[in-house]
Amino acid sequence: EAQVTQNPRYLITVTGKKLTVTCSQNMNHEYMSWYRQDPGLGLRQIYYSMNVEVTDKGDVPEGYKVSRKEKRNFPLILESPSPNQTSLYFCASSPSRGDSPLHFGNGTRLTVT
Amino acid sequence: AQKITQTQPGMFVQEKEAVTLDCTYDTSDPSYGLFWYKQPSSGEMIFLIYQGSYDQQNATEGRYSLNFQKARKSANLVISASQLGDSAMYFCAMRGGLYNFNKFYFGSGTKLNVKP
């Protein structure tokens, strides 16, 4: 089954404790990206990657890191999480075509205390 | 600046009636793509419909159609014959073209409630 898999689904952590949210897709998509969803703000793009070893900032990259060492994987790293990073996070992928929709993972609900 | 605006935080519609969800956008890109997604209470994001900026005809997918008015920069989603299962959050999104191809922009969403 074609899918984007995110783990974990739920994560509660404390301020400053490094964490990684994994994302993997099995559709051989070139493009992958991360979003955070906050009430009243919709989804905002954090980082994106056009292909292996090619990443760039979205609209809200502060406090996040990413890497794309393999085509299928695009982990999101929070090196020192803070409470304002409490949010619902989505990973998504698509072919590199303008008319291609994003395929989303099921989301990761992160709480930083 | 690229921006998507959804001005209806919440809407109610009677089952079997049609409903229009508003979306306006702002972009300096000469080409772009517009998307609508549905997010049920379970949280997943479901792609509904796509409209390219150069498409001459409005997109349709089953009960979903997109009322695209390029001069007004609007891309409203029309759901015909609403069903209880249409109750969800709906997001309008834009992918940039020539200058912002790698960027996706989302509106703040509209929560639709379908009444029996």
Side-chain angles (χ1 to χ4, degrees):
Chain A
E1 180 189 354
Q3 59 185 359
V4 178
T5 303
Q6 276 180 249
N7 280 298
R9 290 295 307 275
Y10 300 92
L11 181 57
I12 301 174
T13 189
V14 296
T15 299
K17 186 176 182 181
K18 181 178 179 179
L19 65 91
T20 299
V21 184
T22 63
C23 175
S24 181
Q25 51 97 2
N26 63 1
M27 295 168 281
N28 202 36
H29 287 164
E30 297 84 12
Y31 182 88
M32 297 185 74
S33 53
W34 277 100
Y35 303 83
R36 60 179 288 173
Q37 182 180 357
D38 300 292
L41 297 177
L43 283 78
R44 293 177 292 167
Q45 193 176 45
I46 303 171
Y47 268 96
Y48 62 87
S49 170
M50 284 306 296
N51 216 321
V52 176
E53 303 290 2
V54 182
T55 64
D56 207 348
K57 298 176 181 177
D59 286 335
V60 288
E62 295 78 19
Y64 305 95
K65 286 177 60 178
V66 293
S67 68
R68 187 95 181 269
K69 296 177 181 174
E70 303 167 286
K71 195 172 187 178
R72 62 184 294 128
N73 295 324
F74 190 45
L76 179 70
I77 303 157
L78 285 73
E79 299 230 322
S80 184
S82 62
N84 64 12
Q85 293 179 298
T86 293
S87 187
L88 177 60
Y89 291 86
F90 285 100
C91 178
S93 72
S94 79
S96 291
R97 280 177 43 184
D99 60 351
S100 299
L102 291 168
H103 298 254
F104 282 88
N106 284 332
T108 295
R109 187 164 291 283
L110 171 65
T111 302
V112 183
T113 60
Chain B
Q2 324 293 312
K3 189 177 181 181
I4 296 281
T5 302
Q6 294 180 254
T7 57
Q8 306 152 312
M11 289 189 70
F12 286 91
V13 66
Q14 201 70 38
E15 192 178 9
K16 300 180 185 177
E17 292 185 348
V19 63
T20 298
L21 306 184
D22 294 342
C23 172
T24 58
Y25 59 91
D26 192 16
T27 181
S28 54
D29 249 319
S31 70
Y32 46 89
L34 296 158
F35 304 81
W36 276 92
Y37 289 87
K38 173 184 179 181
Q39 186 180 45
S41 58
S42 50
E44 71 268 30
M45 295 288 288
I46 302 167
F47 165 68
L48 296 177
I49 197 166
Y50 164 81
Q51 179 84 42
S53 59
Y54 288 118
D55 293 342
Q56 297 294 314
Q57 292 191 321
N58 287 341
T60 59
E61 289 285 349
R63 294 186 299 111
Y64 304 108
S65 61
L66 202 152
N67 184 0
F68 181 48
Q69 298 188 49
K70 193 171 182 178
R72 294 187 177 183
K73 293 190 174 179
S74 75
N76 299 338
L77 178 70
V78 180
I79 305 175
S80 64
S82 297
Q83 301 172 356
L84 295 178
D86 293 333
S87 293
M89 195 76 164
Y90 289 81
F91 290 100
C92 180
M94 176 173 64
R95 183 175 199 169
L98 184 63
Y99 304 121
N100 296 284
F101 183 73
N102 298 313
K103 298 284 191 77
F104 277 87
Y105 303 90
F106 287 80
S108 54
T110 295
K111 187 172 176 62
L112 177 66
N113 284 290
V114 180
K115 298 187 291 185

